[in-house]
Amino acid sequence: MTELRLYMAQRLSALVMAPLVLGHIAVMIYAIQGGLSAAEILGRTQGSVLWALFYGSFVIAVSVHAAIGLRTILYEWAGMRGGVLNGVALGICALLLAMGLQAVYAVTAT
Amino acid sequence: MTNDLTESVAEQSDPLEVSVWRSAGDGGAFQAFKVPAQDSQTVLDVVAWIQQNEDPTLSYRFACRVGMCGSCAMMVNGQPRWTCRTHVRKVLDGNRIEIAPLRNLPVIKDLATDMDPFFDKWVAAEGVFHPSKSRDDAIEQINPASAPRARADAGIECINCSICYAACDSVASDPEYLGPAALNRAWTLFNDAKDDGAGVILDAVSAKGGCHACHSMGSCTHACPNELNPMASIAGLKREIAKSFFKRGKA
């Protein structure tokens, strides 16, 4: 049952990520027209609830997706099992969440 | 024309250089044999020739010799193959053949593997018939053109040879993984109108070591001597489980 939930969580997080990746790439291409500056980016993102939600949900989806994928690799290739395996995977998820959400906060907070 | 004929006779006169895995339990090593080459010769013929002419203690398994029983599978030059239907000429590496016991299974002796884990996993995947009727009920009428029957038919010609299981890298890295043959069997039963075990099958194949451990690398489908597609069967199970997950919150 746990394996099934993890499988579904990884697929659903991929489903969330797909449009966000496309949106992210589209904005990158749009944003670098006429040069790239921190001020320009912050001008767009600071105080924007939309960008906070966009990248906030992106970070959550990535953290869930990557942690489950790495858990499988650690199980199959590094021989990790049981509590150690789940602990490391949770740690990876927490690290990605903390770093990502901090970055989102830094560019969207006013 | 004469030259071609002379060459082919010359080729036949060079004996094959055959390396055969020898072991009795842990450890083991390859042993070299020279086997007369023949015009029409299978890998199983080579193994039988060694056992009959060079070393009667060589252990291996075979029965039907016509690709029906699934007992003669071995690793031939690193690939799992049904040896009774594998022409030597098709797999020769120069003039050499390396013959080893099937991968991913414990070796009993020489080329004979212990198939228990393979068949235990068939049962664990609920690859067993779940009757829906008693002898007093009328026989279920099956429409051979119906979609579920077509899906079941696509997978039922499995001969339990374990070649897909030996080819599978997911089995190699996850000993609990049920493997392509067991999951293919579960999929055929899931689609069988006479089988009443759809629920227990989905529960079994969504548990730890179930179909989600498959990474769709396709070695099973590539190696299957009967040209079945276990990878598609596993994908079918994953689809049904996802549907069931949204409907019932579980598999």
Side-chain angles (χ1 to χ4, degrees):
Chain A
M1 193 61 196
T2 309
E3 298 299 317
L4 173 62
R5 284 199 181 131
L6 289 173
Y7 174 87
M8 292 308 298
Q10 199 182 25
R11 266 62 191 175
L12 291 173
S13 58
L15 208 65
V16 171
M17 268 166 20
L20 297 179
V21 168
L22 293 175
H24 177 66
I25 292 171
V27 170
M28 270 167 58
I29 293 168
Y30 168 76
I32 58 164
Q33 308 295 322
L36 185 66
S37 73
E40 188 203 334
I41 294 170
L42 290 175
R44 191 165 43 245
T45 57
Q46 272 180 342
S48 164
V49 177
L50 188 71
W51 285 120
L53 288 175
F54 183 94
Y55 280 109
S57 52
F58 205 159
V59 164
I60 292 168
V62 166
S63 305
V64 169
H65 191 81
I68 298 171
L70 288 170
R71 180 181 177 273
T72 303
I73 294 171
L74 290 170
Y75 174 76
E76 290 188 8
W77 289 62
M80 275 191 197
R81 296 289 186 267
V84 177
L85 178 69
N86 289 330
V88 172
L90 273 173
I92 292 167
C93 183
L95 184 71
L96 290 172
L97 272 177
M99 289 168 63
L101 290 178
Q102 188 194 25
V104 172
Y105 179 76
V107 296
T108 55
T110 45
Chain B
M1 187 67 193
T2 318
N3 281 349
D4 286 352
L5 192 64
T6 320
E7 260 178 49
S8 103
V9 171
E11 269 173 20
Q12 284 176 33
S13 64
D14 282 341
L16 305 169
E17 292 169 22
V18 185
S19 295
V20 179
W21 183 258
R22 305 303 304 270
S23 77
D26 292 339
F30 282 100
Q31 186 180 356
F33 294 96
K34 287 198 185 300
V35 177
Q38 291 186 1
D39 194 31
S40 188
Q41 188 175 27
T42 66
V43 174
L44 184 62
D45 291 336
V46 169
V47 176
W49 188 93
I50 294 170
Q51 198 264 337
Q52 286 162 14
N53 296 281
E54 290 280 332
D55 187 348
T57 70
L58 176 64
S59 298
Y60 64 106
R61 218 182 257 128
F62 77 99
C64 75
R65 297 180 292 174
V66 289
M68 289 175 69
C69 75
S71 44
C72 71
M74 301 169 199
M75 302 300 288
V76 181
N77 285 345
Q79 299 291 321
R81 291 184 183 280
W82 51 356
T83 57
C84 72
R85 297 289 299 272
T86 303
H87 251 260
V88 164
R89 198 173 295 166
K90 191 176 145 192
V91 292
L92 267 185
D93 175 15
N95 202 32
R96 287 184 299 276
I97 315 179
E98 184 190 275
I99 304 171
L102 275 180
R103 180 178 174 237
N104 293 340
L105 287 166
V107 177
I108 298 172
K109 181 175 177 290
D110 301 335
L111 301 171
T113 50
D114 178 3
M115 302 285 282
D116 277 356
F118 176 72
F119 287 112
D120 288 346
K121 286 177 179 179
W122 277 58
V123 179
E126 289 293 337
V128 292
F129 183 55
H130 313 87
S132 59
K133 294 181 185 298
S134 76
R135 68 181 67 190
D136 303 317
D137 296 312
I139 294 173
E140 178 115 15
Q141 295 298 307
I142 305 291
N143 176 7
S146 72
R149 192 60 231 169
R151 288 195 289 271
D153 281 344
I156 55 170
E157 295 296 336
C158 173
I159 57 170
N160 323 347
C161 63
S162 197
I163 283 177
C164 58
Y165 190 82
C168 178
D169 287 341
S170 295
V171 171
S173 53
D174 181 0
E176 287 185 54
Y177 175 44
L178 296 169
L183 292 171
N184 177 72
R185 177 67 180 148
W187 176 243
T188 60
L189 288 168
F190 180 85
N191 284 291
D192 188 339
K194 289 183 178 176
D195 190 282
D196 199 26
V200 290
I201 289 171
L202 288 190
D203 284 343
V205 302
S206 61
K208 193 160 163 39
C211 61
H212 304 115
C214 165
H215 299 314
S216 307
M217 289 182 278
S219 301
C220 53
T221 301
H222 177 71
C224 177
N226 267 349
E227 297 180 351
L228 304 185
N229 191 345
M231 185 172 64
S233 300
I234 296 168
L237 287 172
K238 287 176 179 171
R239 255 194 324 274
E240 290 302 326
I241 286 166
K243 277 189 214 161
S244 172
F245 182 84
F246 289 122
K247 269 190 211 153
R248 298 194 283 154
K250 73 185 199 82

